[in-house]
Amino acid sequence: MSSDKPLLSQSEPISAPNTQLHNHDSSLRICSLGCPCHIESITSWVADEAQQCNLHDLKEELEENSAPVEDKAVSGDLLVRPAVKPVRKESRSAELHPKCPPVERKRLVSWGGVMDLGHKVLEVSLPLPRPASPRVQDSDKPQTSRRSERFHQISMQLEENIPHHDNPRLIHINDPKKTNDKFEFSGNEIRTSKYTLLTFLPKNLFIQFHRFAYLYFLAIAALNQLPPLAVFGRTVSLFPLLFVLTVTAVKDGYEDWRRHRSDRNENNREALVLQLDEFRPKRWKDILPGEVVKISSDETIPCDMVLLGTSDPSGIAYIQTMNLDGESNLKTRYARQETNKVVLEGTAISGVIKCEQPNRNIYEFMGNMELKGQRVPLSQSNIILRGCQLKNTDWAVGVVVYAGQDTKAMLNSAMSPAKRSRLETYMNRETLWLSTFLLSMCLVVAIGMCLWLKRNKTQLDTLPYYRKVYFQKGKEGKNYTFYGIPLETFISFLSSIIVFQIMIPISLYITMELVRLGQSYFMIGDRHMYDSSSNSRFQCRSLNINEDLGQIRYVFSDKTGTLTENKMEFRKASIWGKNYDYVYSVAGSSQYTDAAVEDAMAGRRKWKLKSEITPDPELMKLLYKDLYGEERIAAHDFFLTLAACNTVIPIVTESPLLSGSESSLGDSQISIDYQGESPDEQALVAAASAYGYTLFERTSGHIMIDANGEKLRLDVLGLHEFDSVRKRMSVVIRFPDNTIKVLVKGADTSMFSILKKDHPDDDRISHATQSHLNEYSSEGLRTLVIASRDLTSEELMEWQHMYEDASTSLTERSIKLRQTAALIECNLTLLGATAIEDKLQEGVPEAIESLRQAGIKVWVLTGDKQETAISIGLSCRLLTPDMHQIIINGNSENECRKLLCDAKAKYLVNSASCVEKITEREKDELQVPSQMKSSNMPQHYTAQNDVPGLGPLALIIDGNSLVYILEKDLETELFDLATSCRVVLCCRVAPLQKAGIVDLIKGRTDDMTLAIGDGANDVSMIQMADVGVGICGQEGRQAVMASDFAMGQFRFLKRLLLVHGHWNYQRIGYLVLYNFYRNAVFVLMLFWYILYTAFSTTSALTDWSSVLYSVVYTSLPTIVVGILDKDLSHKTLLKYPKLYAAGHRQESYNMSLFWITMADTFWQSLVLFFVPLLTYRESTIDIWSLGSLWTIAVVILVNVHLAMDIQRWVYLTHIAIWGSIIVTYGCIVVLDSIPAFPNYGAIYHLVKSPVYWLSILLITPLLKYVQICLPSGIQASKLIGSRSCLLACETRKQYSDWQRVIGELSRGREVADQLRLMLRQSPIDSSATLVLPAQGLVSKILETFTHSLSILSAAAADSDEVSQLPPLKSEDSGESCKTPPPPTKDRRGCYKRRRSSETRTKDTASLFEDGHAWRKYGQKDILNAKHPRNYFRCTHKYDQGCQATKQVQKIEDDPPLFRTTYHGHHTCKNLFNPIISHHHINNITMDDNDNDNDNSPIMWSFATTTSHSDVSHPKSTTTCVLINDSSCTADVHINNADADADAGGVKQENKELESQMIKPPPSSSSSSHDYFVCPDDHDDETSSLKKFKSAPYELGAFSPAGSNSDVYSCTESTHSMEMDIISMAVFDDFFDFKS
Amino acid sequence: MSSEDDSSQSHSKSKKPKYSRFTQQELPSCKPILTPGLVIGILLCFAIVFIPIGLITFTATENVVELVDRYDEDCIPLKSPHNSENERAGFIRDAGTNKTCVRTLIIPKKMKPPIYVYYQLDNFYQNHRRYVKSRSDHQLRYASHVSETKTCEPEATTNDNQPIVPCGLIAWSLFNDTYRFSRNDTSLEINKKDIAWHSERTKKFSSQVYPKNFQSGSLIGGGKLDEKIPLSEQEDLIVWMRTAALPTFRKLYGRIETDLEANDQITVVIQNNYNTYSFSGKKKLVISTASWIGGKNDFLGKMYMAVGGTSLLLAIIFTVLYLLKPRPLGGPTYLSWNRNRAAVRES
């Protein structure tokens, strides 16, 4: 699985050798014809001699013979056939099938159509025997077993590479010395560490100096060591480099030490090794190739071994390859029968294994074993690899072939390729600019020096401050470090480079690393990206590309396991034309009243499955009632097929029953774990088990099924595995009563053509089933059709012959098998169909929607078939019904080209080249039998001008077409088409094709790509993409290991990109710019000074200050800001995904920003330099004092500059910024207190002088106020403009909320006052006349509460800084840092989130509804409590972040008493959901009912509107129903009146609200007031409706389209979306988000 | 999720990140936004703070009385109107010539002690790298390190390899003009004590180190030192060796501690020994009083007033703009993508 393989190379040789293929095959047949009983000898000879085999000669020979031989071969086959004992063979062959390593097969399958050709390729490479074999004399070998022949023949097919190996590896079994006589094989000691104690320093330094920056640094330091250039003190100049090197070295050293430690642990593990005819423990590192090792169950395999024998008589060993390829299912490996016997007998084996040299391909192994003169081929299925674990096998014995570093696991443990962030690449471009500045500054200095020297040429000798000559005797006239003007000029050039060296910010690299580390820390620690189901945090595996997350343009996603959970679940079944789509409820089995069913259930319960599903009671009845009819039999067969027709291995573990109630069965409970390659099969077997057909044993020849308590032993006569051409699998089974049946399951497309059609009943069933299938697939379910057929004995015989022949065949085996299968897979009786749900992961549709809004294109690359891919695409809202789907699946290059061009012509601007090519090709097209597949393009869009008016496009392309497209020059066409589509779905793609598609985009655009996947097949894609994200899912860790980031769920991607990506990008972008600025300002300051020192590169600053400047004085704030600063809160970012596009537009880092920064730098350095200069001109100031003034000024300046750019101040930023200024002072004081330095005492004198302080005071504001004025006054900088704009919006919204709340509450108080007055005036025995106005007032008061509460809760959900909200004085002023005001009084306590998790407990006699939408997420038995405790969370937990939870537990039985405990408050903004709890309303309503219901205004504010659109099933009806009476609108009007006081916002809201509403018929009986809760979104719509107070209901024209008259309640997302729209109306005022 | 749930789930070690405001990046923060009001406020603050400071500073420097007399040209005997530089340098170098020069200065305003007497040199790069480095701090500090003259080239050792104390170009080029002041024929006392920093005298220049072999070479760079006085008391040397930051610099010569009345006539007798002629440097005698702000440099005061004034002006302009043409805060048109779109539309 190395990514460096050329893409698609496998399909390269397909066409060329194809023609010769048949010749070769026939030649093989000749041989088998000639000497049928010597096949073995021939094959072994083949393996041996093939190297020398001259293929060329043979080919000629064969070509002559091929034609006549063909016929003979067939007859020969027929002759051989009767000699074979049928039954025995069948069972053997069934056992053999799993031999083809699953992974291998999977890979081939996923290559789609290429697979067949691929097989041929395998066969082509088979060695050809010479007609005259020297080993024919072996024919008298003992009747070892005719069975073994078959082994050889079949495994020969896999044996492809040996002949090509010039240098096979020879392993002498149980003879390590002989094996390793040349000492060329490594021992089993592994070393993953990079260094040893000796090599650490040189090697580490060597690696570190690969960084250009370090080399630059080193060069500068080296320059500084030259005497004439020694600008800085020699040690000082080395300090930064040494510092950096040391830090990195320590880090590397620590990591390496850990690796050493783990290596040591690994190497010192022990394994049983055969020593002196006895298995003795030996340390892993001492194991040598050739030794025989015994592994016990559950042990890890120490090295790559060829299996010699296992505890199983048939030589099977199960291994788990989790560590290697990440697949968690068990795989079967075989010991050769020959060796297994020997091992079981306990005698020592000796022999020679010849195998290929170590390589990293874990899916292939080629070799043979010479055993007592007999040669046995070895293949992938005979080898167990290091790192795997032995499971379900007591022991296994193997001989070590590869050890230590040679093992495939070690060869595969290469690190994923280092990636470099895009921003860093851009940064390098700017670094080049900086070097240009640097060089030009140096040039200026050098030229100045030259001119100055020339002008003062005559005086240089005596010039008091230069004095180039000695005047002492002996040296008189000699120059003192003067080498002539040209050289001096050059020297001054070099030394100015040294002085200006930090223009190129070397510290930036370290700073960036640290910042990324910090960012990763936050990403890892983000609780929103923690997946509780897999208990996995977010992982940052690569530290280099954090900021790339903010610029992703394309997301390539795997489907299975990434978008879906990869947990298949049997959902629906259609049996005998009847649909069973019972959706299980929590109610459990108590509903079954039928005794028969009960019994059956009891029987079933004996088997405990890992995944329980609840069966459909109706179907259960059908199965268990004494109803003997066709339907019953069909159902029986149906489940039998499910249980039998698969390759799943049941793993049975017995455990004593726990509860006494079931002990009556007298059995211990047995739990079964189904292990299989395909989760679909597992789901089907589990389903069958749920209905009483439990598969509990599978051996090579038979399976055992517990059907309704009756144990059936079914002999498996043959098994046709699933292949991509037939798209079905079948199994031939002999029942105990000797009837023989073919059980078939397969894809609907391939199944309906082979059904029996002679009975009218068949037609009916098939139609019904077909309509069911359509229904299922439209729901995104994976469907399979189940059929069966009885075989007559003649048919059986015929089939057996063919099967025998096919499975022994060496050539074209797959074709022959297919033919054999076709023989029996016909005239089938349709039994039914299954629907399996590949569950979408939680939040996937939402995440995809957000990503799309953010301007990210999501492409799905899946190995699944087209239909599945499309249905999943629909269900995760990737595809929408309004999209135009362009489907491309061609079978040839021309076809693909035509399809592409057609699509382009229809949807895009016509590309001339395309048309030309197509006409050119048209001629060729005539010869090619064109099997144009559908291209579902709507025909009415023909005019090209329509393009803008078209809906979004979706491109669906399959792997087959991709083979042609990616290889040929069609790539461009595809690219053009794909990039103009909104969605691209690629189905049936191979792993390498995935990478190819990623590469297609990566190579042709500058856009960033992200690949996300969970399986080993996604590795190549993950490594290819700019950012690779692994999902820690079902399929293990392979993808995670290769990824840059890993997480538990797909939906976290939204947060990762929109929030963390945005932040990281913006932080790093700013960090880089700021670092450029920081160093440039410093260097420019030095430069200006040098102009005042006769170009002599004197620095006014002390050496130490220059060095410490970027290391100590200014580094911490950059790091802190780089880690902590955020421009917008995560809520805003999530709410407006469009903000992500800032990264696409490169808003945080681009060329113009760089130049703006540089201009700013220039200006700032001028001020910085000249203010002190002019202040101190013509004064007694000395160089060190002025230098220290400049030092402190520049430090304060850059820190204040940073402070001005900080967008969110937290206490840490304060500490860092002000702290580092203080630290700078501290350092200066320390440096000036060391008498050895010439600058001794300067600072003490300076601080006494007020001028010093005044000039510092002057510099910073002088510059800063330019910075303040520019953005606000002139709006010069884009960045600051939009940022402050958004921030202002955030703030303003909070502010207006606050005002509205205050307004509402004060209004409420007024009304309450009125009420009080009214009550006081009226007599105590209030007459009925008073009630109505009083009620009106009360309702108004309540209304104000409702409003203010909803505003508050909405605000709380909106902003995490709500508690920071200050009261603002003026309407437009922004937020200040003042402390929040004391919370306004409200009667329900504190409404601010997270103050404390408040707990309220309530005991009630019955379960009650509190008016909130709750969702149950758990149930738990509590110690010492009779009843379980139920856990509920707010339905809006994820979409609105509402943290409220409650627990309900029945605490007493009689009378029933329920305890409800609330945690936290609702923060979900739900204007219509009454926040006041329900029982409260109830009371009022009760009062109300005494009076006139019709006009009850009290209900107004609690009117509930609901709307519904089904999320998970887009095609199902979506209706919107508004309920209740005119009160809704009345409510609005009241609200409207209030809004007058408040500007804009609320009014807008009402408009929105009104627009949402369909006015209900005024005549509707208004006594109805219904409350709905939001249902579980997984529930079916009908059952989801929970009405807790229903009343006669009239909706008139507004009843939903469906037949039931219930009102659908809203599902989470739509609901919240609308709520958003309403409550965010104010916000929308500012934003124009209509894209 | 509440903590109860956590505890119920944490039977198997939960890796769920612990909640803290820090790790969730939810630390309380404030978001300063530059709103018009804030900007105007800041500008006004600037104005309020800076203009008074500027005024105070400016008046302080205005009160400083300063007398500058350039004497290098005039103190050369006028043999011919166009003395070449070589001639002048020759005159200065010639030990035999009488270099006394008398200058008369009129005090413009009353000067109160302490009155500082400075000499000012122009075009003398005391900050030249060769010059700055040519000294040995060790030698000056420790009597035992007198022979550490490696850094002092080319004035490190005498002809017979004896270390020069103090060595180096800086000391070698010691300024040696002398001034004698007299008013109305009574000489004015010039206090030359404490003209160097105390820290230098005590820590940097040792009282144990005495000048040795100083100015013994064939080229005399400047002043000579009394070999009987330790370095720590050679205050002129200490002042000189604190190298100036800029090519035009003043160095303290001494203090006059009596009042000088306006229109007093001061006669200065100058021994014009120091050779600035060879590199066309200027020599000036400066007599100046000092304010709290230092010498007569009104740059700071003017700058402060300018900055304050500009702030005030801008504040007014912004206020007017804000009142006349207010722009909604957080207007969507200023969002970057909208702006881009607008730009596209325009083009």
Side-chain angles (χ1 to χ4, degrees), chain A residues 697-844:
Chain A
E697 192 182 320
R698 172 183 292 276
T699 62
S700 40
H702 71 275
I703 51 174
M704 296 284 280
I705 290 177
D706 177 356
N708 314 332
E710 172 191 351
K711 287 189 179 160
L712 283 178
R713 186 194 151 104
L714 307 178
D715 289 323
V716 180
L717 303 182
L719 185 143
H720 291 281
E721 287 197 39
F722 190 89
D723 74 43
S724 60
V725 178
R726 281 161 52 235
K727 288 185 179 161
R728 57 185 171 252
M729 99 174 251
S730 58
V731 60
V732 182
I733 284 196
R734 193 207 325 260
F735 283 82
D737 57 357
N738 267 339
T739 52
I740 287 163
K741 264 192 177 175
V742 188
L743 306 174
V744 190
K745 70 167 197 256
D748 44 3
T749 47
S750 71
M751 291 292 284
F752 277 103
S753 56
I754 52 166
L755 290 180
K756 186 170 65 169
K757 286 197 183 82
D758 44 358
H759 199 274
D761 226 25
D762 296 336
D763 240 18
R764 181 188 63 78
I765 292 165
S766 119
H767 274 125
T769 312
Q770 219 147 10
S771 74
H772 291 152
L773 283 171
N774 288 338
E775 196 183 303
Y776 297 158
S777 61
S778 72
E779 289 168 24
L781 301 174
R782 301 155 79 102
T783 56
L784 280 176
V785 174
I786 310 290
S788 74
R789 180 190 171 193
D790 291 319
L791 275 191
T792 59
S793 54
E794 297 91 66
E795 279 170 327
L796 178 69
M797 279 295 280
E798 190 188 349
W799 170 78
Q800 269 182 335
H801 292 320
M802 254 185 105
Y803 185 69
E804 189 75 25
D805 178 41
S807 46
T808 48
S809 160
L810 282 178
T811 59
E812 289 183 336
R813 181 167 158 255
S814 57
I815 295 171
K816 281 187 182 171
L817 276 174
R818 216 173 292 147
Q819 286 164 353
T820 318
L823 193 70
I824 49 164
E825 287 172 356
C826 58
N827 278 331
L828 299 170
T829 316
L830 178 66
L831 296 174
T834 59
I836 299 168
E837 187 184 21
D838 189 1
K839 265 193 177 169
L840 275 187
Q841 282 185 11
E842 200 177 348
V844 165

Side-chain angles (χ1 to χ4, degrees), chain B residues 128-171:
Chain B
H128 200 283
R129 188 156 61 89
R130 282 171 84 104
Y131 189 76
V132 169
K133 294 201 171 289
S134 185
R135 64 190 283 162
S136 167
D137 284 312
H138 268 267
Q139 186 196 46
L140 302 173
R141 271 183 78 200
Y142 307 107
S144 51
H145 288 64
V146 279
S147 52
E148 269 191 32
T149 58
K150 218 165 61 190
T151 54
C152 288
E153 294 287 357
E155 270 304 314
T157 51
T158 58
N159 295 341
D160 42 355
N161 268 337
Q162 287 298 305
I164 298 173
V165 185
C167 69
L169 279 181
I170 306 179

Side-chain angles (χ1 to χ4, degrees), chain A residues 217-281:
Chain A
F217 223 160
L218 186 72
I220 296 280
L223 273 182
N224 201 43
Q225 304 305 310
L226 300 175
L229 298 176
V231 179
F232 294 123
R234 292 182 184 172
T235 41
V236 171
S237 63
L238 278 173
F239 171 75
L241 182 61
L242 286 178
F243 176 75
V244 171
L245 289 178
T246 318
V247 168
T248 319
V250 166
K251 193 193 85 190
D252 288 352
Y254 175 69
E255 280 176 4
D256 210 53
W257 176 73
R258 282 177 46 178
R259 269 187 233 117
H260 268 291
R261 208 176 47 179
S262 73
D263 283 355
R264 203 166 49 232
N265 288 343
E266 189 90 337
N267 284 332
N268 287 337
R269 290 167 78 168
E270 287 190 337
L272 290 173
V273 177
L274 191 66
Q275 293 160 300
L276 306 169
D277 297 329
E278 203 179 325
F279 284 107
R280 287 181 189 166

Side-chain angles (χ1 to χ4, degrees), chain A residues 936-1228:
Chain A
N936 287 4
M937 292 174 289
Q939 294 301 307
H940 52 281
Y941 292 109
T942 41
Q944 288 141 32
N945 299 347
D946 276 358
V947 173
L950 278 176
L953 300 176
L955 177 69
I956 294 138
I957 189 165
D958 71 349
N960 227 343
S961 319
L962 280 174
V963 171
Y964 300 110
I965 292 169
L966 288 181
E967 285 230 321
K968 312 285 156 90
D969 49 345
L970 286 172
E971 232 180 62
T972 327
E973 314 276 327
L974 175 70
F975 174 75
D976 291 344
L977 186 63
T979 44
S980 53
C981 291
R982 193 193 270 188
V983 176
V984 177
L985 266 177
C986 302
C987 17
R988 287 259 174 259
V989 285
L992 277 178
Q993 281 181 325
K994 289 184 176 184
I997 292 162
V998 175
D999 192 47
L1000 176 77
I1001 294 300
K1002 220 177 128 184
R1004 280 165 194 270
T1005 61
D1006 272 343
D1007 296 329
M1008 302 290 295
T1009 52
L1010 179 145
I1012 179 167
D1014 72 323
N1017 58 342
D1018 304 316
V1019 168
S1020 58
M1021 162 171 94
I1022 284 172
Q1023 286 181 341
M1024 174 63 80
D1026 293 303
V1027 179
V1029 179
I1031 301 265
C1032 335
Q1034 304 280 306
E1035 287 191 42
R1037 298 189 42 81
Q1038 190 85 339
V1040 173
M1041 297 303 281
S1043 65
D1044 305 305
F1045 302 97
M1047 53 196 188
Q1049 297 267 314
F1050 180 81
R1051 71 184 141 95
F1052 299 153
L1053 192 64
K1054 176 180 166 189
R1055 195 176 171 82
L1056 177 68
L1057 294 185
L1058 298 190
V1059 179
H1060 289 288
H1062 180 93
W1063 282 343
N1064 290 345
Y1065 169 68
Q1066 167 250 332
R1067 285 163 179 172
I1068 293 272
Y1070 179 71
L1071 179 84
V1072 172
L1073 284 176
Y1074 174 75
N1075 268 276
F1076 285 162
Y1077 154 80
R1078 182 186 72 168
N1079 288 8
V1081 98
F1082 184 77
V1083 166
L1084 275 172
M1085 189 189 75
L1086 297 176
F1087 175 69
W1088 303 132
Y1089 184 67
I1090 283 173
L1091 300 186
Y1092 278 83
T1093 62
F1095 310 100
S1096 63
T1097 60
T1098 319
S1099 164
L1101 279 60
T1102 59
D1103 293 352
W1104 281 101
S1105 280
S1106 318
V1107 168
L1108 293 179
Y1109 173 72
S1110 52
V1111 180
V1112 175
Y1113 296 171
T1114 55
S1115 61
L1116 192 65
T1118 42
I1119 294 170
V1120 169
V1121 170
I1123 294 172
L1124 289 177
D1125 199 26
K1126 29 180 202 175
D1127 53 348
L1128 292 164
S1129 72
H1130 64 103
K1131 294 209 164 102
T1132 313
L1133 288 170
L1134 284 176
K1135 193 173 281 160
Y1136 298 101
K1138 225 182 160 181
L1139 292 170
Y1140 184 76
H1144 294 157
R1145 287 188 300 273
Q1146 306 195 338
E1147 268 178 26
S1148 296
Y1149 187 84
N1150 52 44
M1151 224 23 182
S1152 63
L1153 270 178
F1154 173 74
W1155 287 108
I1156 289 172
T1157 312
M1158 282 298 120
D1160 190 27
T1161 308
F1162 188 78
W1163 150 250
Q1164 292 198 12
S1165 71
L1166 278 179
V1167 173
L1168 178 72
F1169 176 74
F1170 281 103
V1171 166
L1173 181 88
L1174 291 173
T1175 312
Y1176 283 102
R1177 73 178 165 190
E1178 296 189 333
S1179 74
T1180 56
I1181 191 88
D1182 65 280
I1183 189 167
W1184 313 118
S1185 302
L1186 201 56
S1188 115
L1189 173 57
W1190 272 320
T1191 312
I1192 199 73
V1194 74
V1195 169
I1196 292 177
L1197 177 73
V1198 296
N1199 277 319
V1200 171
H1201 180 99
L1202 182 69
M1204 301 264 323
D1205 287 341
I1206 288 177
Q1207 314 189 12
R1208 251 161 235 248
W1209 282 85
V1210 298
Y1211 66 90
L1212 281 169
T1213 10
H1214 282 287
I1215 292 174
I1217 286 185
W1218 313 128
S1220 64
I1221 292 178
I1222 292 165
V1223 163
T1224 310
Y1225 261 114
C1227 284
I1228 288 177

Side-chain angles (χ1 to χ4, degrees), chain B residues 52-68:
Chain B
I53 292 182
L55 285 172
I56 294 165
T57 323
F58 189 70
T59 42
T61 51
E62 280 303 293
N63 288 333
V64 171
V65 187
E66 190 185 78
L67 246 108
V68 182

